[in-house]
Amino acid sequence: MTSQYTVVIAGASSGFGAALTHDLAAAGHQVVAGARRPRPGAPRMRYIPVDLCDGEATAGFAQAAIEHLGRVDGLVYCAADPGAVGRAWQLDEDAFARVLDVSLLGFVRLAGHLVPHMQQTGGGSIITVGSQAARTPVDLLAAYGAAKAALEHYSRCLAEELSGTRIRVNTIGIAAETELAATHRTAKATLRGRPSPHPPLPDVAESLPLARWLLSDQSRHVTGQIIEANRP
């Protein structure tokens, strides 16, 4: 990957995905961002609406990204669904399925289109956004934690299978104040009938340097890793 590269970011409506989209574009990289709620674009940035739970829509998004960018050097998957918050044994099946679909199967669909392209064009970096909840039980977030655990393991399997192809796959955990974190807090407070104390989370911008490094050539020998940003 050269000093200027092309990146597809999925799940860029808000939070880390939106922040990374603007950060990379401001640094001169070409970015195509997929989002349920597209935001205003800027130079070197194109937002495309996409429902990652829809196979046809995901295929169309991948093709549009390839056509716009010419080649894809990086893929960052940030998509997550804030639903299915509740006691593990009382979770609604459809809501749980939606969380799994967005967090895991959306990435499976998108990787199915972009990995072959990246293999043909010389490799690149794939980053998935995991969570500490994938490895540490979090009260009322069983669905979210299970979905992220599945995503993290799938990412490690993908990294192993792509070993030696010049495509690297890593997972990062984000500890930041985001719309998703706020939605989870509100839902949990409603279920408990009271707000729960929690330590302040850093601004999402503090998680951007790690993603920038993993997208750069400096991380070309790093693959199959889960790197967690710990709470302050």
Side-chain angles (χ1 to χ4, degrees):
M1 197 179 291
T2 62
S3 57
Q4 299 298 316
Y5 42 88
T6 59
V7 182
V8 174
I9 300 178
S13 294
S14 63
F16 179 73
L20 183 61
T21 296
H22 286 267
D23 180 77
L24 293 175
H29 306 297
Q30 295 284 345
V31 184
V32 167
R36 289 172 292 180
R37 306 187 308 274
R39 299 158 60 98
R44 299 182 178 273
M45 177 198 313
R46 181 183 178 189
Y47 266 93
I48 299 176
V50 61
D51 179 359
L52 295 164
C53 295
D54 184 308
E56 186 174 340
T58 302
F61 168 70
Q63 186 58 39
I66 291 170
E67 291 176 357
H68 180 75
L69 297 172
R71 59 175 286 152
V72 175
D73 297 316
L75 166 62
V76 185
Y77 195 83
C78 313
D81 187 275
V85 177
R87 296 174 180 83
W89 69 94
Q90 296 175 332
L91 292 174
D92 177 77
E93 180 180 343
D94 291 337
F96 200 148
R98 169 75 184 181
V99 173
L100 286 168
D101 205 354
V102 174
S103 296
L104 173 64
L105 297 181
F107 177 61
V108 174
R109 294 182 187 102
L110 191 56
H113 296 288
L114 293 183
V115 167
H117 167 79
M118 295 173 74
Q119 287 177 313
Q120 293 172 3
T121 56
S125 175
I126 297 175
I127 300 171
T128 57
V129 175
S131 173
Q132 198 169 62
R135 283 153 273 115
T136 303
V138 178
D139 188 33
L140 303 179
L141 291 184
Y144 179 76
K148 287 297 187 178
L151 175 68
E152 291 188 1
H153 191 71
Y154 177 83
S155 299
R156 294 182 69 182
C157 290
L158 186 62
E160 179 67 22
E161 292 181 8
L162 291 173
S163 177
T165 69
R166 298 184 64 189
I167 298 177
R168 57 197 186 275
V169 186
N170 294 285
T171 298
I172 58 176
I174 303 301
E177 186 57 58
T178 64
E179 183 178 305
L180 177 68
T183 300
H184 278 161
R185 280 200 305 271
T186 300
K188 290 196 289 185
T190 299
L191 285 166
R192 291 170 175 154
R194 57 177 172 77
S196 300
H198 63 89
L201 294 173
D203 187 271
V204 71
E206 295 188 27
S207 295
L208 298 177
L210 175 58
R212 287 198 300 264
W213 181 74
L214 286 173
L215 287 167
S216 75
D217 279 337
Q218 292 179 320
S219 68
R220 62 188 176 275
H221 300 304
V222 179
T223 192
Q225 302 303 305
I226 297 174
I227 307 172
E228 182 70 46
N230 294 319
R231 285 176 186 248

